[in-house]
Amino acid sequence: MKIVIRLFLTIITTVLIVFSHSSVATNLSVQPIKIVMGEDTYPYQYRDENGQPAGILVDLWLEWSMVTNTPITFDVQNWTESLNSLHNGTADIHMGMAINEQRLNRFDFAKPITSLDTFLFIHKSIDRKRHLTDLIPYQIGLVDGSSHEQTLKNINPKFSFRKYPSRIELLKGASNGEILVFAGVEGYQRNVSLDLDIANEFHTSSRLPINDIALAPAVNKGNSALLAKIEQGFEQIDEAQRMRIERRWLGYNRQQAGIMIAMQSNVEPYVDIGLDGLPDGLFVDLWKLWSKKTGISIDFVIGDMNSSIEDINNGIADVHIGYPESNEMRTGLKQAWHLTTVKSRFFSTNTNISNINDISHARVGVFPTAPYIAKIRQAYPDTQIRFYDSIAAMVDASERSEINGFFAESASTSHYLLTNKLWTDFKLYTNIGYTTDIYVLTRLEDSGLAERISSGFQLITPEERSRIENKWLINPNDRYFSNNEHNIMLSQQQKDYLAKLGAIKMGYLKDWRPMEFQGGNGEFLGVNSDIKSLLVKHLGLSIIPVAFDNFDQMMQQLQSGEIQIVASLAQNNTREKTIIFSEPYWPSPWAIASDMTQPTIFNVSQLAGKRLAVVQGYQLIDQFRQRYPEIDIIPVSDTLAGLNTVIDGQADMFVEKVTTLAENLKNGDYPSLKLSLIADLADQQSRIGIFSGVKELQPLVNKVLSTMDKTAQQALYQKWNDVRLNTHSKFSSKWVNYLIIGLLIVSAIALAVIIINRRLNLEIKLREAAEDRLVFIANHDNVTGLANRTLLEQQLKSSITSHKQSGDKFALLFIDLDGFKIVNDQYGHDVGDMLLAEVASVFKNAIRKTDSVARFGGDEFVIILNHIQSLQDAKRLAESLLNKLATITTIEDKPVMISASIGMAVYPNNGDSPEALLKYSDTLMYQAKRTGGRKHVHQ
């Protein structure tokens, strides 16, 4: 038996050995071809985030493998190592490289299988170079072993180079300021942070093309059989498949070298056709900036909402400019990028609506394509929905009482109402409405285009987005990018520069109210002091204010570098020789102060033959002397000297910034003088002047200034001005409209100073009242009238700031009502809202004027108890609140029983930020709730 078993095992072993040898022989016969490739030439050949080979060339070779039925493997290496691997015979084929004389001596090449465009990317400090030979003085960065070196030497042997081991190292060198020019290929990078640095410093729009490089597979010398096999395989690949592969990675067809964007019109201010017949609007500006960042040209196909989608499906366009796609309204296209979020609100001629459900048999208008129709039906089940195809139709239906109101996108509707002078006839309900996400759409198969779009939009900084949005959306409540606090994005090079810069000096005038002046204790005050604070906050700069008695002396020190920055400067050709200027940040029109007996001045031509006092150093002096030699200029040292010169009869008039003149005339110290606005000089803008020795500060200052929209300017104006003037000055309607809409400073004056007629005055007052209602509604709860979460956050930040300065404590009470849900469920929302209003009244009456209370949401409230001595103060208030809530026993003759669970936090013991204090008190509130409620908890 044992012999039989041994014989059986011997037979099995023999079979396994034979099978093994056979398998080895088979594997040897189909051993894959080894293809070596570079690791970081994105998107042609590179190692992806998972360490796998990827790119256009990889896909082409996989297609080659399939049509030739030949197995292949990829070996991903550093570029120089990839060339050496082929030369040393450790690889069979190089995936693809540019052909040059040096490489022809080492390798044999197949026919090219694709091509790429190469460029010299130029730093913005030298971006006025227009020819390759202009860059001979600069060292050019490139990847060691790349074909760029030989190509550029063939163009001009005088080029010099700095070599880097990889593309990533090359880009880091460019970002760190080691080189001002570098050679690169078309495509986009994968490192978003590094890409932002490069995009900020090396603008794609100013790159210079080197040439179009053909990429060809390479083999070692003499391997003609393999070379023939390569070419035969690639000849079998369908041309359409080649184009699909290129489109997948590049995002567009190389033959077209751009993308076509489908758009709808008549959706102001987002997208429409301008007066010049060209596409215009917020979305268009975002796409134009995308084009500038990526270097890819764009064009537009114009249609309506439906036809623009069909243009994508039919291949007429590559991408949709921005579409309100949602779960309820699917197009079947790919959401390539979340472009923005728009707010749709309820508009009605009825100014007393708190809830649509309160309207008996309510009828509301909606666009049939609105993505929130299902939400309206769910929230307002008794409401009848009627469909309209335009804002004009819904407005008309509202005015004829066909509907009680309508839902529509807030900014577009407000624009329509203002344009048609219907703004005062309608009320915008910010508490009734929905948000809609707007997406850039592409075809599902265009994954490369989707990635290209995403990468391009990521290069647009938050401040750039906000600047475009602020340009088009007047109402701050309609904005998406600007509603959050701005975060300045700095490149590593900029951060390093700021770290090395140290403290700088900022000059200001001692008495130039309201823009800048010196306080009683020698402190820097005024609008420009807040501009300084913004620079310190966002850039981390240390800025030392330096006070000056006169403007001329301050300018001399700025030009010499004794001080580095001065605010509120006008830009002119003379100053540009020694001073770098920021973007404009403050409207700065000029005005004339003259005796009441003098005629009112409208323009400069009326000053001929007059003696005009001007502050010494102002750019107006040279401007007037060159253009208006008939004006007799009398230089004065400062504003007060100029006014006194007119009073004393030494000058007929004095010219100064309108805000400064208004500040000095408002108190009645110069009763014999009047103010006139000069239309010729109403376009003036103030900038920050920067000493040329620190010119790198300019783009950083511009970043900070870009965070200031019109709302922020208005807030600064109201903070530092209280201007109320009486004057008989008249003005043309063109300039009134200009000042009201475009110049925030003058707008505040214009309400009382410049009145064309009674109708305009009435419209201004109605508009102000409407805007005041919008601001109140945006910051207050519509049921209780208390502050909402938005205003609560501001109040908390303010309390933290003031208590940090004083060293005092304040308490935060987080309150959740016990028993409210029972009342709401038993008696309905109307009684529930009445109960909330009653509770709010109890809370308001229980706190001091220096404290605040807000409705946090639902049945939750927050009280800020400022300047307390200890936690005992908060405990006493909490006990008082519980006792007073117990006295609420009926609402509308319906019995109720209400109490509260209260969690308490104390600043700074339990947190030094709004988030920390809210979280701490919320946690304690839930402890009180879990243990039965009707109590307060503290630790």
Side-chain angles (χ1 to χ4, degrees):
M1 185 65 179
K2 291 181 179 179
I3 295 174
V4 174
I5 293 173
R6 287 177 181 173
L7 181 60
F8 178 77
L9 291 174
T10 301
I11 294 171
I12 293 298
T13 303
T14 302
V15 171
L16 290 174
I17 291 172
V18 172
F19 179 81
S20 175
H21 287 173
S22 175
S23 176
V24 170
T26 301
N27 287 339
L28 288 174
S29 66
V30 293
Q31 187 171 350
I33 292 176
K34 186 176 181 180
I35 301 176
V36 71
M37 58 180 282
E39 65 179 355
D40 62 0
T41 308
Y42 185 85
Y44 288 86
Q45 48 184 313
Y46 74 102
R47 190 195 308 271
D48 69 14
E49 58 274 8
N50 298 317
Q52 300 301 309
I56 294 174
L57 289 173
V58 171
D59 282 3
L60 285 171
W61 273 104
L62 289 173
E63 194 73 18
W64 179 91
S65 173
M66 185 173 67
V67 299
T68 61
N69 197 27
T70 304
I72 60 175
T73 62
F74 297 112
D75 183 13
V76 187
Q77 295 188 15
N78 168 280
W79 183 254
T80 301
E81 293 172 352
S82 72
L83 299 179
N84 292 334
S85 291
L86 178 62
H87 186 65
N88 297 332
T90 55
D92 302 306
I93 302 172
H94 194 288
M95 175 174 286
M97 66 177 88
I99 304 172
N100 59 35
E101 185 176 350
Q102 183 181 12
R103 291 173 181 172
L104 282 170
N105 293 329
R106 302 175 69 187
F107 311 119
D108 286 336
F109 288 88
K111 294 178 181 178
I113 57 176
T114 188
S115 64
L116 54 80
D117 294 319
T118 59
F119 301 89
L120 286 183
F121 291 83
I122 304 170
H123 192 270
K124 61 186 179 183
S125 63
I126 58 169
D127 63 3
R128 293 184 179 179
K129 308 299 181 183
R130 293 291 176 263
H131 303 284
L132 290 177
T133 52
D134 293 338
L135 301 172
I136 290 175
Y138 301 93
Q139 199 173 42
I140 298 173
L142 48 78
V143 177
D144 190 20
S146 71
S147 64
H148 300 309
E149 180 177 1
Q150 188 61 50
T151 301
L152 289 168
K153 280 184 176 179
N154 291 340
I155 294 174
N156 195 305
K158 293 182 180 180
F159 280 125
S160 60
F161 307 99
R162 179 167 181 167
K163 301 177 184 180
Y164 292 84
S166 68
R167 181 162 180 76
I168 290 296
E169 293 302 317
L170 168 65
L171 295 179
K172 286 181 179 178
S175 176
N176 294 333
E178 297 172 0
I179 49 177
L180 296 178
V181 184
F182 69 89
V185 304
E186 70 170 338
Y188 49 101
Q189 310 310 316
R190 294 174 294 150
N191 185 326
V192 173
S193 175
L194 183 59
D195 223 19
L196 280 172
D197 285 0
I198 298 298
N200 286 333
E201 303 300 319
F202 295 82
H203 298 161
T204 305
S205 57
S206 60
R207 66 187 180 181
L208 294 180
I210 303 175
N211 63 356
D212 181 28
I213 294 180
L215 297 181
V219 300
N220 271 325
K221 283 287 185 179
N223 198 341
S224 56
L226 182 56
L227 207 60
K229 182 180 177 71
I230 292 171
E231 292 186 344
Q232 289 170 7
F234 278 109
E235 286 174 359
Q236 296 178 53
I237 298 176
D238 181 59
E239 186 62 30
Q241 180 63 7
R242 287 176 181 267
M243 293 180 63
R244 280 193 290 270
I245 290 173
E246 283 194 350
R247 184 179 178 83
R248 175 192 169 196
W249 287 99
L250 293 177
Y252 61 95
N253 292 331
R254 288 171 49 82
Q255 293 77 6
Q256 296 174 350
I259 64 172
M260 191 68 69
I261 302 173
M263 59 168 276
Q264 66 272 41
S265 58
N266 297 318
V267 192
E268 295 179 296
Y270 295 102
V271 56
D272 199 10
I273 304 302
L275 296 175
D276 56 0
L278 299 175
D280 202 5
L282 192 156
F283 293 174
V284 173
D285 279 1
L286 283 173
W287 270 104
K288 286 180 178 177
L289 185 55
W290 179 92
S291 176
K292 181 180 179 181
K293 295 280 187 180
T294 61
I296 301 172
S297 63
I298 59 175
D299 204 350
F300 297 91
V301 178
I302 302 165
D304 56 28
M305 183 74 84
N306 295 321
S307 67
S308 58
I309 294 296
E310 288 304 311
D311 286 340
I312 307 295
N313 290 322
N314 296 333
I316 297 173
D318 304 299
V319 58
H320 195 284
I321 192 169
Y323 193 82
E325 190 174 63
S326 65
N327 291 330
E328 294 79 15
M329 189 169 65
R330 300 290 294 179
T331 61
L333 299 175
K334 181 180 181 62
Q335 296 176 357
W337 181 254
H338 175 209
L339 189 65
T340 187
T341 295
V342 299
K343 299 174 182 178
S344 295
R345 302 298 189 209
F346 186 67
F347 290 82
S348 177
T349 54
N350 186 338
T351 60
N352 298 308
I353 299 175
S354 59
N355 192 309
I356 297 176
N357 284 330
D358 294 340
I359 305 173
S360 177
H361 305 295
R363 302 175 305 279
V364 300
V366 181
F367 283 108
T369 55
Y372 43 79
I373 294 174
K375 294 178 181 178
I376 295 176
R377 286 181 170 140
Q378 182 179 3
Y380 311 108
D382 297 328
T383 296
Q384 182 185 70
I385 296 177
R386 298 189 179 184
F387 297 109
Y388 298 88
D389 60 0
S390 67
I391 293 175
M394 289 193 283
V395 168
D396 182 62
S398 296
E399 291 187 312
R400 290 186 288 104
S401 299
E402 182 180 305
I403 53 177
N404 301 103
F406 59 89
F407 285 94
E409 197 284 317
S410 180
S412 298
T413 307
S414 298
H415 179 88
Y416 176 86
L417 294 174
L418 287 168
T419 303
N420 292 277
K421 297 183 179 180
L422 297 169
W423 176 253
T424 56
D425 297 338
F426 283 81
K427 179 179 178 180
L428 165 62
Y429 288 86
T430 57
N431 61 316
I432 305 177
Y434 306 94
T435 58
T436 302
D437 292 331
I438 303 296
Y439 293 97
V440 172
L441 303 179
T442 62
R443 288 179 288 272
L444 292 175
E445 63 270 20
D446 286 345
S447 57
L449 178 57
E451 188 173 351
R452 173 64 70 101
I453 289 168
S454 174
S455 297
F457 276 112
Q458 288 181 68
L459 296 179
I460 301 176
T461 64
E463 54 265 28
E464 288 173 325
R465 295 176 188 273
S466 295
R467 187 158 52 240
I468 290 175
E469 188 177 60
N470 295 345
K471 168 187 172 182
W472 290 102
L473 303 184
I474 298 174
N475 188 345
N477 291 325
D478 293 335
R479 296 169 188 162
Y480 173 69
F481 302 121
S482 311
N483 282 338
N484 298 321
E485 187 172 342
H486 294 271
N487 294 314
I488 301 297
M489 298 186 70
L490 302 176
S491 69
Q492 189 58 49
Q493 182 181 356
Q494 291 170 330
K495 292 176 183 177
D496 293 342
Y497 173 75
L498 289 171
K500 295 177 184 177
L501 186 61
I504 64 172
K505 295 179 180 180
M506 179 175 183
Y508 73 95
L509 295 176
K510 290 182 179 178
D511 192 12
W512 199 50
R513 301 168 187 265
M515 297 307 295
E516 53 190 40
F517 58 95
Q518 193 171 50
N521 298 318
E523 68 273 31
F524 178 22
L525 300 174
V527 170
N528 290 331
S529 70
D530 282 353
I531 300 299
K532 185 210 79 163
S533 298
L534 277 177
L535 295 173
V536 170
K537 171 187 173 184
H538 288 298
L539 302 179
L541 273 174
S542 177
I543 300 179
I544 303 170
V546 180
F548 289 86
D549 291 313
N550 64 74
F551 182 84
D552 208 26
Q553 179 188 11
M554 182 173 66
M555 288 299 297
Q556 290 173 8
Q557 292 202 15
L558 176 63
Q559 292 168 339
S560 66
E562 294 176 68
I563 58 176
Q564 286 75 45
I565 57 174
V566 168
S568 295
L569 285 187
Q571 185 175 8
N572 61 35
N573 294 334
T574 302
R575 289 177 180 171
E576 284 178 342
K577 296 176 182 177
T578 54
I579 299 171
I580 308 297
F581 285 90
S582 74
E583 293 295 323
Y585 73 97
W586 197 262
S588 191
W590 297 90
I592 290 287
S594 62
D595 189 88
M596 287 288 186
T597 59
Q598 291 280 357
T600 299
I601 300 298
F602 296 105
N603 50 60
V604 178
S605 63
Q606 293 178 270
L607 300 175
K610 302 290 185 182
R611 297 170 300 166
L612 182 65
V614 188
V615 174
Q616 181 69 47
Y618 277 10
Q619 53 98 12
L620 277 183
I621 293 180
D622 290 338
Q623 182 179 335
F624 281 168
R625 282 175 175 167
Q626 292 174 12
R627 299 183 184 179
Y628 310 100
E630 63 275 16
I631 300 176
D632 184 11
I633 300 297
I634 301 176
V636 293
S637 59
D638 54 34
T639 302
L640 293 180
L643 291 170
N644 289 327
T645 301
V646 178
I647 292 292
D648 297 339
Q650 300 174 21
D652 299 309
M653 299 171 186
F654 171 57
V655 63
E656 179 58 280
K657 298 295 184 182
V658 66
T659 50
T660 302
L661 277 183
E663 178 71 21
N664 284 275
L665 297 181
K666 70 178 182 181
N667 294 322
D669 295 336
Y670 299 91
S672 63
L673 300 184
K674 67 178 180 180
L675 180 148
S676 303
L677 292 165
I678 308 178
D680 307 54
L681 304 176
D683 285 327
Q684 298 294 314
Q685 296 279 325
S686 285
R687 304 168 187 260
I688 292 179
I690 304 167
F691 171 57
S692 58
V694 290
K695 62 182 180 181
E696 292 88 348
L697 265 182
Q698 183 205 37
L700 306 180
V701 169
N702 285 338
K703 281 177 176 286
V704 176
L705 295 179
S706 70
T707 67
M708 288 184 58
D709 57 14
K710 290 183 175 63
T711 304
Q713 289 178 327
Q714 183 66 56
L716 277 183
Y717 177 81
Q718 290 174 342
K719 175 180 178 181
W720 294 107
N721 287 268
D722 183 20
V723 181
R724 297 291 182 269
L725 296 175
N726 280 318
T727 176
H728 298 292
S729 298
K730 301 287 184 182
F731 216 63
S732 69
S733 59
K734 169 187 173 182
W735 292 106
V736 171
N737 290 333
Y738 176 81
L739 293 170
I740 291 174
I741 296 173
L743 303 177
L744 292 170
I745 301 172
V746 183
S747 66
I749 302 170
L751 295 178
V753 180
I754 313 167
I755 302 171
I756 288 290
N757 52 47
R758 293 180 180 178
R759 177 176 175 80
L760 177 58
N761 192 29
L762 176 61
E763 288 184 1
I764 292 173
K765 290 179 179 179
L766 290 173
R767 173 69 185 274
E768 276 193 318
E771 291 178 347
D772 288 343
R773 286 200 303 272
L774 287 176
V775 173
F776 182 85
I777 290 172
N779 290 287
H780 291 82
D781 173 53
N782 64 309
V783 175
T784 64
L786 299 178
N788 61 15
R789 291 178 69 163
T790 302
L791 184 55
L792 169 66
E793 184 178 355
Q794 298 173 13
Q795 292 170 338
L796 262 176
K797 288 181 180 178
S798 178
S799 290
I800 289 172
T801 300
S802 62
H803 287 75
K804 184 182 294 184
Q805 293 173 346
S806 66
D808 292 344
K809 299 179 178 179
F810 73 86
L812 187 146
L813 281 64
F814 201 108
I815 306 168
D816 184 272
L817 298 183
D818 300 326
F820 174 76
K821 188 176 186 303
I822 296 173
V823 174
N824 213 37
D825 293 344
Q826 186 174 359
Y827 303 126
H829 295 295
D830 291 345
V831 175
D833 286 351
M834 292 179 189
L835 176 57
L836 289 174
E838 183 68 21
V839 170
S841 179
V842 168
F843 291 166
K844 283 189 289 188
N845 293 330
I847 62 175
R848 303 165 297 178
K849 290 183 179 180
T850 55
D851 304 326
S852 58
V853 57
R855 184 183 177 194
F856 194 74
D859 58 353
E860 295 177 333
F861 297 82
V862 171
I863 290 178
I864 301 175
L865 196 60
N866 289 308
H867 301 290
I868 62 172
Q869 297 299 318
S870 67
L871 181 61
Q872 293 302 319
D873 294 339
K875 290 181 180 179
R876 283 192 291 270
L877 175 63
E879 288 290 347
S880 174
L881 294 178
L882 292 176
N883 292 334
K884 290 180 179 180
L885 289 176
T887 64
I888 303 176
T889 57
T890 61
I891 297 291
E892 288 286 288
D893 298 326
K894 295 177 175 61
V896 298
M897 186 169 65
I898 198 77
S899 187
S901 298
I902 305 175
M904 288 180 283
V906 176
Y907 171 88
N909 306 39
N910 307 131
D912 58 0
S913 69
E915 295 79 12
L917 291 169
L918 285 169
K919 183 177 180 180
Y920 187 88
S921 56
D922 183 41
T923 301
L924 294 183
M925 180 274 291
Y926 274 107
Q927 287 184 19
K929 181 73 73 176
R930 285 195 297 268
T931 55
R934 306 182 190 282
K935 65 181 70 172
H936 55 83
V937 176
H938 51 83
Q939 291 182 359

